[in-house]
Amino acid sequence: MDEQREPIEDGHDDASDAQKLDGIVEQVRGDLAMSAVDDVRSMIRDRLRDAGLPDSERDVDVVAARVDPSPKAG
């Protein structure tokens, strides 16, 4: 694991869970727009973990639905 080599900025962990989720949704949307995603569900799960948020299948489903809110044909 990499070590912290630079100072941590004040306020780095001040975001609410809702703000963190909003940020994850925007990050994933941006990555999808650049076609930089092989496995969107894995990316979402990793981002949730990195943010210290729950990462169950349901949590990933919720974020995935916010990233792409269009209804799926079934």
Side-chain angles (χ1 to χ4, degrees):
M1 197 170 235
D2 292 335
E3 292 182 31
Q4 179 76 29
R5 295 199 172 130
E6 296 185 24
I8 296 174
E9 294 182 28
D10 288 338
H12 75 280
D13 61 353
D14 290 347
S16 70
D17 287 354
Q19 290 168 321
K20 289 177 186 178
L21 281 173
D22 290 344
I24 290 169
V25 169
E26 290 306 313
Q27 288 173 351
V28 174
R29 282 181 183 155
D31 288 342
L32 287 170
M34 296 186 312
S35 300
V37 180
D38 291 327
D39 183 349
V40 71
R41 293 185 65 80
S42 290
M43 177 195 290
I44 291 169
R45 183 171 284 107
D46 290 345
R47 296 248 170 108
L48 288 169
R49 285 181 189 150
D50 290 347
L53 297 172
D55 65 339
S56 71
E57 284 300 312
R58 183 180 177 283
D59 297 311
V60 172
D61 289 345
V62 168
V63 174
R66 287 187 57 197
V67 168
D68 182 11
S70 61
K72 303 293 182 213

Short mmCIF file of all heavy atoms in Angstrom, two decimals:
data_model
loop_
_atom_site.label_atom_id
_atom_site.label_comp_id
_atom_site.label_asym_id
_atom_site.label_seq_id
_atom_site.Cartn_x
_atom_site.Cartn_y
_atom_site.Cartn_z
N MET A 1 0.84 -1.18 0.00
CA MET A 1 0.00 0.00 0.00
C MET A 1 0.89 1.24 0.00
O MET A 1 1.91 1.28 0.65
CB MET A 1 -0.90 -0.04 1.23
CG MET A 1 -2.07 0.87 1.15
SD MET A 1 -3.23 0.54 2.51
CE MET A 1 -4.66 0.28 1.53
N ASP A 2 0.49 2.27 -0.76
CA ASP A 2 1.28 3.49 -0.83
C ASP A 2 1.16 4.28 0.46
O ASP A 2 0.13 4.28 1.11
CB ASP A 2 0.79 4.36 -1.98
CG ASP A 2 1.09 3.73 -3.33
OD1 ASP A 2 2.02 2.93 -3.42
OD2 ASP A 2 0.36 4.06 -4.28
N GLU A 3 2.24 4.97 0.78
CA GLU A 3 2.23 5.83 1.96
C GLU A 3 1.81 7.23 1.58
O GLU A 3 2.03 7.67 0.46
CB GLU A 3 3.65 5.88 2.56
CG GLU A 3 4.11 4.58 3.16
CD GLU A 3 5.50 4.71 3.77
OE1 GLU A 3 5.84 5.79 4.24
OE2 GLU A 3 6.22 3.71 3.73
N GLN A 4 1.23 7.93 2.54
CA GLN A 4 0.88 9.33 2.35
C GLN A 4 2.17 10.12 2.27
O GLN A 4 2.97 10.09 3.19
CB GLN A 4 0.02 9.81 3.53
CG GLN A 4 -0.37 11.25 3.47
CD GLN A 4 -1.48 11.50 2.47
OE1 GLN A 4 -2.29 10.64 2.23
NE2 GLN A 4 -1.50 12.67 1.90
N ARG A 5 2.39 10.83 1.17
CA ARG A 5 3.64 11.56 0.99
C ARG A 5 3.44 13.07 0.99
O ARG A 5 4.40 13.80 0.95
CB ARG A 5 4.30 11.12 -0.31
CG ARG A 5 4.70 9.67 -0.22
CD ARG A 5 5.73 9.32 -1.24
NE ARG A 5 6.19 7.98 -0.95
CZ ARG A 5 6.27 7.01 -1.82
NH1 ARG A 5 5.95 7.25 -3.07
NH2 ARG A 5 6.67 5.81 -1.47
N GLU A 6 2.21 13.50 1.02
CA GLU A 6 1.93 14.93 1.04
C GLU A 6 0.93 15.21 2.15
O GLU A 6 0.21 14.32 2.58
CB GLU A 6 1.35 15.37 -0.30
CG GLU A 6 2.34 15.20 -1.43
CD GLU A 6 1.82 15.75 -2.73
OE1 GLU A 6 0.95 16.64 -2.70
OE2 GLU A 6 2.29 15.30 -3.77
N PRO A 7 0.91 16.44 2.62
CA PRO A 7 -0.04 16.76 3.70
C PRO A 7 -1.48 16.57 3.26
O PRO A 7 -1.82 16.78 2.11
CB PRO A 7 0.21 18.25 3.99
CG PRO A 7 1.37 18.66 3.17
CD PRO A 7 1.69 17.57 2.20
N ILE A 8 -2.30 16.13 4.18
CA ILE A 8 -3.73 16.02 3.93
C ILE A 8 -4.35 17.39 4.13
O ILE A 8 -4.09 18.06 5.14
CB ILE A 8 -4.36 14.99 4.90
CG1 ILE A 8 -3.78 13.60 4.64
CG2 ILE A 8 -5.88 14.99 4.76
CD1 ILE A 8 -4.23 12.56 5.64
N GLU A 9 -5.14 17.83 3.17
CA GLU A 9 -5.73 19.15 3.25
C GLU A 9 -6.83 19.20 4.29
O GLU A 9 -7.56 18.22 4.49
CB GLU A 9 -6.31 19.54 1.90
CG GLU A 9 -5.25 19.71 0.84
CD GLU A 9 -5.83 20.16 -0.48
OE1 GLU A 9 -6.89 20.82 -0.48
OE2 GLU A 9 -5.22 19.85 -1.50
N ASP A 10 -6.94 20.34 4.96
CA ASP A 10 -8.06 20.54 5.88
C ASP A 10 -9.36 20.40 5.10
O ASP A 10 -9.48 20.86 3.97
CB ASP A 10 -8.02 21.95 6.51
CG ASP A 10 -6.90 22.08 7.54
OD1 ASP A 10 -6.45 21.04 8.05
OD2 ASP A 10 -6.49 23.20 7.81
N GLY A 11 -10.32 19.74 5.71
CA GLY A 11 -11.62 19.59 5.10
C GLY A 11 -11.73 18.39 4.19
O GLY A 11 -12.77 18.17 3.57
N HIS A 12 -10.68 17.57 4.11
CA HIS A 12 -10.70 16.44 3.18
C HIS A 12 -11.78 15.42 3.49
O HIS A 12 -12.20 14.69 2.62
CB HIS A 12 -9.33 15.74 3.17
CG HIS A 12 -9.08 14.91 4.38
ND1 HIS A 12 -8.67 15.46 5.57
CD2 HIS A 12 -9.20 13.58 4.59
CE1 HIS A 12 -8.55 14.49 6.47
NE2 HIS A 12 -8.86 13.35 5.90
N ASP A 13 -12.24 15.40 4.73
CA ASP A 13 -13.26 14.40 5.09
C ASP A 13 -14.53 15.06 5.62
O ASP A 13 -15.28 14.44 6.35
CB ASP A 13 -12.71 13.40 6.10
CG ASP A 13 -12.28 14.04 7.41
OD1 ASP A 13 -12.28 15.28 7.50
OD2 ASP A 13 -11.93 13.29 8.33
N ASP A 14 -14.77 16.29 5.20
CA ASP A 14 -15.93 17.03 5.69
C ASP A 14 -17.22 16.74 4.91
O ASP A 14 -18.29 17.16 5.33
CB ASP A 14 -15.67 18.54 5.64
CG ASP A 14 -14.65 18.98 6.67
OD1 ASP A 14 -14.34 18.20 7.58
OD2 ASP A 14 -14.16 20.12 6.56
N ALA A 15 -17.13 16.05 3.79
CA ALA A 15 -18.32 15.81 2.97
C ALA A 15 -19.27 14.85 3.68
O ALA A 15 -18.84 13.88 4.31
CB ALA A 15 -17.91 15.23 1.62
N SER A 16 -20.55 15.12 3.53
CA SER A 16 -21.57 14.21 4.07
C SER A 16 -21.62 12.96 3.18
O SER A 16 -21.09 12.95 2.06
CB SER A 16 -22.93 14.89 4.08
OG SER A 16 -23.39 15.06 2.74
N ASP A 17 -22.28 11.92 3.66
CA ASP A 17 -22.43 10.71 2.85
C ASP A 17 -23.16 11.03 1.54
O ASP A 17 -22.81 10.50 0.49
CB ASP A 17 -23.16 9.62 3.63
CG ASP A 17 -22.30 9.00 4.71
OD1 ASP A 17 -21.09 9.32 4.80
OD2 ASP A 17 -22.84 8.18 5.48
N ALA A 18 -24.17 11.87 1.61
CA ALA A 18 -24.92 12.24 0.41
C ALA A 18 -24.02 12.96 -0.59
O ALA A 18 -24.08 12.71 -1.81
CB ALA A 18 -26.12 13.11 0.77
N GLN A 19 -23.16 13.84 -0.10
CA GLN A 19 -22.22 14.54 -0.98
C GLN A 19 -21.21 13.58 -1.58
O GLN A 19 -20.85 13.69 -2.75
CB GLN A 19 -21.51 15.65 -0.21
CG GLN A 19 -22.40 16.81 0.16
CD GLN A 19 -21.75 17.75 1.15
OE1 GLN A 19 -21.05 17.34 2.06
NE2 GLN A 19 -21.96 19.05 0.94
N LYS A 20 -20.77 12.61 -0.77
CA LYS A 20 -19.84 11.60 -1.29
C LYS A 20 -20.51 10.79 -2.41
O LYS A 20 -19.90 10.53 -3.44
CB LYS A 20 -19.39 10.67 -0.17
CG LYS A 20 -18.45 11.33 0.83
CD LYS A 20 -18.10 10.36 1.93
CE LYS A 20 -17.28 11.02 3.02
NZ LYS A 20 -16.97 10.07 4.12
N LEU A 21 -21.77 10.39 -2.18
CA LEU A 21 -22.50 9.64 -3.22
C LEU A 21 -22.67 10.47 -4.49
O LEU A 21 -22.48 9.95 -5.59
CB LEU A 21 -23.86 9.20 -2.70
CG LEU A 21 -23.87 7.99 -1.80
CD1 LEU A 21 -25.26 7.76 -1.22
CD2 LEU A 21 -23.40 6.75 -2.53
N ASP A 22 -23.00 11.73 -4.33
CA ASP A 22 -23.13 12.62 -5.50
C ASP A 22 -21.81 12.67 -6.27
O ASP A 22 -21.80 12.62 -7.50
CB ASP A 22 -23.54 14.03 -5.07
CG ASP A 22 -24.97 14.12 -4.57
OD1 ASP A 22 -25.76 13.18 -4.82
OD2 ASP A 22 -25.28 15.15 -3.92
N GLY A 23 -20.72 12.77 -5.55
CA GLY A 23 -19.40 12.81 -6.18
C GLY A 23 -19.07 11.53 -6.91
O GLY A 23 -18.52 11.55 -8.02
N ILE A 24 -19.40 10.40 -6.30
CA ILE A 24 -19.15 9.11 -6.95
C ILE A 24 -19.96 9.00 -8.23
O ILE A 24 -19.44 8.58 -9.27
CB ILE A 24 -19.47 7.95 -5.98
CG1 ILE A 24 -18.42 7.92 -4.86
CG2 ILE A 24 -19.53 6.62 -6.72
CD1 ILE A 24 -18.77 7.00 -3.69
N VAL A 25 -21.23 9.39 -8.17
CA VAL A 25 -22.08 9.34 -9.37
C VAL A 25 -21.46 10.19 -10.48
O VAL A 25 -21.35 9.74 -11.63
CB VAL A 25 -23.52 9.81 -9.04
CG1 VAL A 25 -24.33 10.04 -10.31
CG2 VAL A 25 -24.21 8.80 -8.13
N GLU A 26 -21.03 11.39 -10.17
CA GLU A 26 -20.44 12.27 -11.18
C GLU A 26 -19.12 11.71 -11.71
O GLU A 26 -18.84 11.79 -12.91
CB GLU A 26 -20.23 13.68 -10.61
CG GLU A 26 -21.52 14.42 -10.38
CD GLU A 26 -22.40 14.48 -11.62
OE1 GLU A 26 -21.89 14.80 -12.72
OE2 GLU A 26 -23.61 14.19 -11.51
N GLN A 27 -18.30 11.13 -10.84
CA GLN A 27 -17.03 10.53 -11.29
C GLN A 27 -17.28 9.38 -12.25
O GLN A 27 -16.63 9.27 -13.30
CB GLN A 27 -16.23 10.02 -10.09
CG GLN A 27 -15.64 11.11 -9.24
CD GLN A 27 -15.00 10.55 -7.98
OE1 GLN A 27 -15.12 9.39 -7.64
NE2 GLN A 27 -14.31 11.42 -7.26
N VAL A 28 -18.22 8.51 -11.91
CA VAL A 28 -18.51 7.35 -12.76
C VAL A 28 -19.10 7.82 -14.09
O VAL A 28 -18.73 7.31 -15.15
CB VAL A 28 -19.42 6.34 -12.04
CG1 VAL A 28 -19.84 5.22 -12.97
CG2 VAL A 28 -18.71 5.77 -10.81
N ARG A 29 -19.99 8.79 -14.05
CA ARG A 29 -20.55 9.34 -15.30
C ARG A 29 -19.44 9.88 -16.19
O ARG A 29 -19.43 9.67 -17.41
CB ARG A 29 -21.55 10.45 -15.01
CG ARG A 29 -22.90 9.97 -14.57
CD ARG A 29 -23.83 11.13 -14.33
NE ARG A 29 -25.13 10.68 -13.84
CZ ARG A 29 -25.94 11.43 -13.13
NH1 ARG A 29 -25.62 12.68 -12.82
NH2 ARG A 29 -27.09 10.95 -12.72
N GLY A 30 -18.50 10.60 -15.59
CA GLY A 30 -17.38 11.14 -16.35
C GLY A 30 -16.52 10.05 -16.96
O GLY A 30 -16.13 10.15 -18.13
N ASP A 31 -16.25 9.02 -16.19
CA ASP A 31 -15.45 7.91 -16.71
C ASP A 31 -16.18 7.19 -17.84
O ASP A 31 -15.57 6.81 -18.85
CB ASP A 31 -15.10 6.92 -15.60
CG ASP A 31 -14.07 7.48 -14.63
OD1 ASP A 31 -13.37 8.46 -14.97
OD2 ASP A 31 -13.95 6.93 -13.52
N LEU A 32 -17.49 7.01 -17.69
CA LEU A 32 -18.27 6.38 -18.75
C LEU A 32 -18.27 7.23 -20.02
O LEU A 32 -18.18 6.69 -21.13
CB LEU A 32 -19.71 6.12 -18.29
CG LEU A 32 -19.89 4.99 -17.28
CD1 LEU A 32 -21.30 5.01 -16.72
CD2 LEU A 32 -19.59 3.64 -17.92
N ALA A 33 -18.35 8.54 -19.86
CA ALA A 33 -18.35 9.44 -21.01
C ALA A 33 -17.03 9.35 -21.78
O ALA A 33 -17.00 9.54 -23.00
CB ALA A 33 -18.61 10.87 -20.56
N MET A 34 -15.96 9.04 -21.08
CA MET A 34 -14.64 8.90 -21.72
C MET A 34 -14.36 7.46 -22.11
O MET A 34 -13.26 7.13 -22.54
CB MET A 34 -13.54 9.39 -20.77
CG MET A 34 -13.62 10.86 -20.45
SD MET A 34 -12.24 11.50 -19.48
CE MET A 34 -12.07 10.30 -18.17
N SER A 35 -15.33 6.57 -21.92
CA SER A 35 -15.18 5.14 -22.21
C SER A 35 -14.00 4.53 -21.47
O SER A 35 -13.29 3.68 -21.99
CB SER A 35 -15.02 4.92 -23.72
OG SER A 35 -16.14 5.39 -24.41
N ALA A 36 -13.81 4.95 -20.23
CA ALA A 36 -12.67 4.49 -19.44
C ALA A 36 -13.08 3.42 -18.42
O ALA A 36 -12.42 3.26 -17.41
CB ALA A 36 -12.03 5.68 -18.72
N VAL A 37 -14.16 2.68 -18.71
CA VAL A 37 -14.70 1.75 -17.72
C VAL A 37 -14.83 0.35 -18.33
O VAL A 37 -15.47 0.17 -19.36
CB VAL A 37 -16.09 2.21 -17.23
CG1 VAL A 37 -16.65 1.25 -16.20
CG2 VAL A 37 -16.01 3.61 -16.66
N ASP A 38 -14.19 -0.63 -17.68
CA ASP A 38 -14.35 -2.02 -18.10
C ASP A 38 -15.50 -2.68 -17.35
O ASP A 38 -16.26 -3.44 -17.92
CB ASP A 38 -13.06 -2.82 -17.85
CG ASP A 38 -11.94 -2.38 -18.76
OD1 ASP A 38 -12.21 -2.00 -19.91
OD2 ASP A 38 -10.78 -2.40 -18.32
N ASP A 39 -15.59 -2.41 -16.05
CA ASP A 39 -16.61 -3.04 -15.20
C ASP A 39 -17.17 -1.98 -14.26
O ASP A 39 -16.59 -1.68 -13.22
CB ASP A 39 -15.99 -4.20 -14.42
CG ASP A 39 -17.00 -4.95 -13.57
OD1 ASP A 39 -18.15 -4.47 -13.40
OD2 ASP A 39 -16.64 -6.01 -13.05
N VAL A 40 -18.28 -1.39 -14.66
CA VAL A 40 -18.83 -0.26 -13.91
C VAL A 40 -19.21 -0.65 -12.49
O VAL A 40 -19.00 0.13 -11.56
CB VAL A 40 -20.01 0.40 -14.67
CG1 VAL A 40 -21.23 -0.47 -14.67
CG2 VAL A 40 -20.34 1.76 -14.08
N ARG A 41 -19.73 -1.84 -12.28
CA ARG A 41 -20.13 -2.25 -10.92
C ARG A 41 -18.90 -2.37 -10.01
O ARG A 41 -18.95 -1.97 -8.86
CB ARG A 41 -20.93 -3.53 -10.97
CG ARG A 41 -22.30 -3.33 -11.67
CD ARG A 41 -23.15 -4.56 -11.61
NE ARG A 41 -23.53 -4.89 -10.26
CZ ARG A 41 -24.52 -4.32 -9.57
NH1 ARG A 41 -25.23 -3.35 -10.11
NH2 ARG A 41 -24.80 -4.71 -8.35
N SER A 42 -17.82 -2.91 -10.53
CA SER A 42 -16.59 -2.99 -9.73
C SER A 42 -16.06 -1.61 -9.41
O SER A 42 -15.59 -1.34 -8.31
CB SER A 42 -15.52 -3.80 -10.46
OG SER A 42 -15.87 -5.15 -10.51
N MET A 43 -16.13 -0.72 -10.39
CA MET A 43 -15.67 0.65 -10.16
C MET A 43 -16.50 1.32 -9.07
O MET A 43 -15.96 1.97 -8.17
CB MET A 43 -15.75 1.49 -11.43
CG MET A 43 -15.35 2.94 -11.18
SD MET A 43 -15.82 4.07 -12.49
CE MET A 43 -14.73 3.54 -13.76
N ILE A 44 -17.82 1.17 -9.15
CA ILE A 44 -18.70 1.76 -8.14
C ILE A 44 -18.36 1.19 -6.76
O ILE A 44 -18.23 1.94 -5.80
CB ILE A 44 -20.18 1.53 -8.50
CG1 ILE A 44 -20.55 2.35 -9.74
CG2 ILE A 44 -21.08 1.87 -7.31
CD1 ILE A 44 -21.91 1.99 -10.34
N ARG A 45 -18.22 -0.11 -6.68
CA ARG A 45 -17.91 -0.75 -5.39
C ARG A 45 -16.58 -0.21 -4.82
O ARG A 45 -16.49 0.13 -3.65
CB ARG A 45 -17.83 -2.27 -5.55
CG ARG A 45 -17.59 -2.99 -4.25
CD ARG A 45 -17.74 -4.49 -4.38
NE ARG A 45 -19.18 -4.80 -4.45
CZ ARG A 45 -19.81 -5.19 -5.55
NH1 ARG A 45 -19.18 -5.37 -6.68
NH2 ARG A 45 -21.11 -5.44 -5.51
N ASP A 46 -15.57 -0.09 -5.67
CA ASP A 46 -14.28 0.45 -5.23
C ASP A 46 -14.42 1.89 -4.75
O ASP A 46 -13.85 2.27 -3.73
CB ASP A 46 -13.25 0.38 -6.35
CG ASP A 46 -12.82 -1.03 -6.69
OD1 ASP A 46 -13.07 -1.97 -5.89
OD2 ASP A 46 -12.22 -1.22 -7.77
N ARG A 47 -15.17 2.68 -5.48
CA ARG A 47 -15.35 4.09 -5.09
C ARG A 47 -16.11 4.20 -3.77
O ARG A 47 -15.79 5.05 -2.94
CB ARG A 47 -16.07 4.85 -6.20
CG ARG A 47 -15.27 4.92 -7.49
CD ARG A 47 -14.82 6.32 -7.78
NE ARG A 47 -13.88 6.36 -8.86
CZ ARG A 47 -14.13 6.82 -10.07
NH1 ARG A 47 -15.34 7.28 -10.36
NH2 ARG A 47 -13.20 6.85 -10.99
N LEU A 48 -17.12 3.36 -3.59
CA LEU A 48 -17.85 3.37 -2.32
C LEU A 48 -16.92 3.02 -1.16
O LEU A 48 -16.92 3.69 -0.13
CB LEU A 48 -19.03 2.40 -2.37
CG LEU A 48 -20.21 2.81 -3.25
CD1 LEU A 48 -21.18 1.64 -3.43
CD2 LEU A 48 -20.93 4.02 -2.69
N ARG A 49 -16.13 1.97 -1.33
CA ARG A 49 -15.17 1.57 -0.29
C ARG A 49 -14.18 2.68 0.01
O ARG A 49 -13.90 2.98 1.16
CB ARG A 49 -14.41 0.32 -0.72
CG ARG A 49 -15.21 -0.94 -0.63
CD ARG A 49 -14.38 -2.13 -1.05
NE ARG A 49 -15.20 -3.31 -1.16
CZ ARG A 49 -14.99 -4.30 -1.99
NH1 ARG A 49 -13.95 -4.27 -2.81
NH2 ARG A 49 -15.80 -5.33 -2.01
N ASP A 50 -13.63 3.28 -1.05
CA ASP A 50 -12.65 4.36 -0.87
C ASP A 50 -13.24 5.53 -0.11
O ASP A 50 -12.52 6.22 0.63
CB ASP A 50 -12.13 4.85 -2.23
CG ASP A 50 -11.25 3.82 -2.94
OD1 ASP A 50 -10.82 2.83 -2.29
OD2 ASP A 50 -10.99 4.02 -4.15
N ALA A 51 -14.54 5.76 -0.28
CA ALA A 51 -15.20 6.87 0.40
C ALA A 51 -15.68 6.49 1.80
O ALA A 51 -16.24 7.31 2.52
CB ALA A 51 -16.40 7.35 -0.43
N GLY A 52 -15.48 5.22 2.17
CA GLY A 52 -15.92 4.77 3.49
C GLY A 52 -17.42 4.55 3.59
O GLY A 52 -18.00 4.61 4.66
N LEU A 53 -18.03 4.27 2.44
CA LEU A 53 -19.48 4.05 2.39
C LEU A 53 -19.78 2.57 2.23
O LEU A 53 -18.94 1.81 1.73
CB LEU A 53 -20.08 4.83 1.23
CG LEU A 53 -19.94 6.35 1.32
CD1 LEU A 53 -20.38 7.00 0.01
CD2 LEU A 53 -20.72 6.90 2.49
N PRO A 54 -21.00 2.13 2.60
CA PRO A 54 -21.37 0.72 2.42
C PRO A 54 -21.29 0.34 0.94
O PRO A 54 -21.56 1.17 0.06
CB PRO A 54 -22.82 0.66 2.91
CG PRO A 54 -23.01 1.88 3.72
CD PRO A 54 -22.07 2.92 3.21
N ASP A 55 -20.93 -0.92 0.66
CA ASP A 55 -20.75 -1.35 -0.72
C ASP A 55 -21.45 -2.68 -1.03
O ASP A 55 -20.96 -3.49 -1.81
CB ASP A 55 -19.27 -1.43 -1.07
CG ASP A 55 -18.55 -2.51 -0.27
OD1 ASP A 55 -19.06 -2.91 0.80
OD2 ASP A 55 -17.47 -2.94 -0.70
N SER A 56 -22.61 -2.88 -0.42
CA SER A 56 -23.38 -4.10 -0.70
C SER A 56 -23.90 -4.04 -2.14
O SER A 56 -23.85 -3.00 -2.80
CB SER A 56 -24.56 -4.21 0.27
OG SER A 56 -25.54 -3.22 -0.05
N GLU A 57 -24.44 -5.16 -2.60
CA GLU A 57 -25.03 -5.20 -3.95
C GLU A 57 -26.12 -4.15 -4.09
O GLU A 57 -26.23 -3.50 -5.12
CB GLU A 57 -25.59 -6.60 -4.25
CG GLU A 57 -24.53 -7.62 -4.56
CD GLU A 57 -23.67 -7.26 -5.77
OE1 GLU A 57 -24.23 -6.90 -6.83
OE2 GLU A 57 -22.44 -7.34 -5.66
N ARG A 58 -26.92 -3.98 -3.05
CA ARG A 58 -28.00 -2.98 -3.09
C ARG A 58 -27.42 -1.57 -3.21
O ARG A 58 -27.93 -0.75 -3.97
CB ARG A 58 -28.87 -3.09 -1.84
CG ARG A 58 -30.04 -2.12 -1.85
CD ARG A 58 -30.90 -2.26 -0.60
NE ARG A 58 -31.96 -1.29 -0.58
CZ ARG A 58 -31.81 0.00 -0.27
NH1 ARG A 58 -30.64 0.48 0.04
NH2 ARG A 58 -32.85 0.82 -0.27
N ASP A 59 -26.33 -1.29 -2.46
CA ASP A 59 -25.70 0.02 -2.54
C ASP A 59 -25.16 0.28 -3.94
O ASP A 59 -25.32 1.38 -4.49
CB ASP A 59 -24.57 0.14 -1.52
CG ASP A 59 -25.07 0.02 -0.09
OD1 ASP A 59 -26.05 0.70 0.27
OD2 ASP A 59 -24.48 -0.77 0.68
N VAL A 60 -24.54 -0.74 -4.54
CA VAL A 60 -24.02 -0.61 -5.90
C VAL A 60 -25.18 -0.39 -6.87
O VAL A 60 -25.10 0.45 -7.77
CB VAL A 60 -23.18 -1.84 -6.29
CG1 VAL A 60 -22.80 -1.80 -7.76
CG2 VAL A 60 -21.93 -1.94 -5.40
N ASP A 61 -26.29 -1.11 -6.68
CA ASP A 61 -27.47 -0.95 -7.53
C ASP A 61 -27.99 0.49 -7.48
O ASP A 61 -28.35 1.06 -8.52
CB ASP A 61 -28.60 -1.89 -7.09
CG ASP A 61 -28.33 -3.34 -7.41
OD1 ASP A 61 -27.41 -3.65 -8.20
OD2 ASP A 61 -29.03 -4.20 -6.83
N VAL A 62 -28.04 1.05 -6.29
CA VAL A 62 -28.55 2.42 -6.12
C VAL A 62 -27.67 3.41 -6.88
O VAL A 62 -28.17 4.28 -7.60
CB VAL A 62 -28.65 2.79 -4.62
CG1 VAL A 62 -28.90 4.28 -4.43
CG2 VAL A 62 -29.75 1.98 -3.96
N VAL A 63 -26.36 3.29 -6.74
CA VAL A 63 -25.45 4.20 -7.44
C VAL A 63 -25.55 3.98 -8.95
O VAL A 63 -25.62 4.94 -9.71
CB VAL A 63 -24.00 4.03 -6.94
CG1 VAL A 63 -23.05 4.89 -7.77
CG2 VAL A 63 -23.90 4.42 -5.47
N ALA A 64 -25.57 2.72 -9.38
CA ALA A 64 -25.66 2.42 -10.81
C ALA A 64 -26.93 3.03 -11.41
O ALA A 64 -26.90 3.56 -12.53
CB ALA A 64 -25.61 0.92 -11.03
N ALA A 65 -28.03 2.96 -10.70
CA ALA A 65 -29.29 3.54 -11.18
C ALA A 65 -29.19 5.05 -11.30
O ALA A 65 -29.78 5.65 -12.21
CB ALA A 65 -30.45 3.16 -10.26
N ARG A 66 -28.45 5.68 -10.39
CA ARG A 66 -28.27 7.14 -10.48
C ARG A 66 -27.32 7.51 -11.61
O ARG A 66 -27.48 8.57 -12.22
CB ARG A 66 -27.73 7.69 -9.16
CG ARG A 66 -28.78 7.71 -8.08
CD ARG A 66 -28.32 8.41 -6.84
NE ARG A 66 -27.88 9.78 -7.09
CZ ARG A 66 -27.15 10.48 -6.24
NH1 ARG A 66 -26.78 9.97 -5.08
NH2 ARG A 66 -26.79 11.71 -6.53
N VAL A 67 -26.36 6.66 -11.91
CA VAL A 67 -25.42 6.93 -12.99
C VAL A 67 -26.15 6.86 -14.34
O VAL A 67 -25.95 7.69 -15.20
CB VAL A 67 -24.25 5.92 -12.97
CG1 VAL A 67 -23.44 5.98 -14.23
CG2 VAL A 67 -23.35 6.18 -11.75
N ASP A 68 -27.01 5.86 -14.50
CA ASP A 68 -27.77 5.67 -15.73
C ASP A 68 -29.23 5.45 -15.38
O ASP A 68 -29.68 4.32 -15.24
CB ASP A 68 -27.22 4.47 -16.51
CG ASP A 68 -27.95 4.27 -17.83
OD1 ASP A 68 -28.73 5.16 -18.25
OD2 ASP A 68 -27.74 3.22 -18.45
N PRO A 69 -29.99 6.54 -15.24
CA PRO A 69 -31.37 6.42 -14.78
C PRO A 69 -32.36 5.95 -15.84
O PRO A 69 -33.53 5.80 -15.56
CB PRO A 69 -31.71 7.84 -14.32
CG PRO A 69 -30.83 8.71 -15.14
CD PRO A 69 -29.56 7.91 -15.38
N SER A 70 -31.90 5.69 -17.08
CA SER A 70 -32.85 5.27 -18.09
C SER A 70 -33.36 3.87 -17.80
O SER A 70 -32.63 3.01 -17.33
CB SER A 70 -32.18 5.29 -19.46
OG SER A 70 -31.08 4.41 -19.49
N PRO A 71 -34.65 3.64 -18.05
CA PRO A 71 -35.22 2.31 -17.79
C PRO A 71 -34.61 1.29 -18.73
O PRO A 71 -34.32 1.57 -19.88
CB PRO A 71 -36.71 2.49 -18.06
CG PRO A 71 -36.86 3.78 -18.77
CD PRO A 71 -35.62 4.58 -18.56
N LYS A 72 -34.40 0.09 -18.22
CA LYS A 72 -33.81 -0.99 -19.00
C LYS A 72 -34.91 -1.85 -19.61
O LYS A 72 -35.88 -2.18 -18.95
CB LYS A 72 -32.92 -1.88 -18.12
CG LYS A 72 -31.82 -1.13 -17.39
CD LYS A 72 -30.81 -0.60 -18.36
CE LYS A 72 -29.68 0.10 -17.61
NZ LYS A 72 -29.14 1.20 -18.33
N ALA A 73 -34.71 -2.18 -20.85
CA ALA A 73 -35.67 -3.10 -21.50
C ALA A 73 -35.45 -4.49 -20.94
O ALA A 73 -34.34 -4.92 -20.75
CB ALA A 73 -35.46 -3.09 -23.02
N GLY A 74 -36.51 -5.23 -20.67
CA GLY A 74 -36.34 -6.51 -20.07
C GLY A 74 -37.08 -7.53 -20.71
O GLY A 74 -37.21 -8.42 -21.25
#
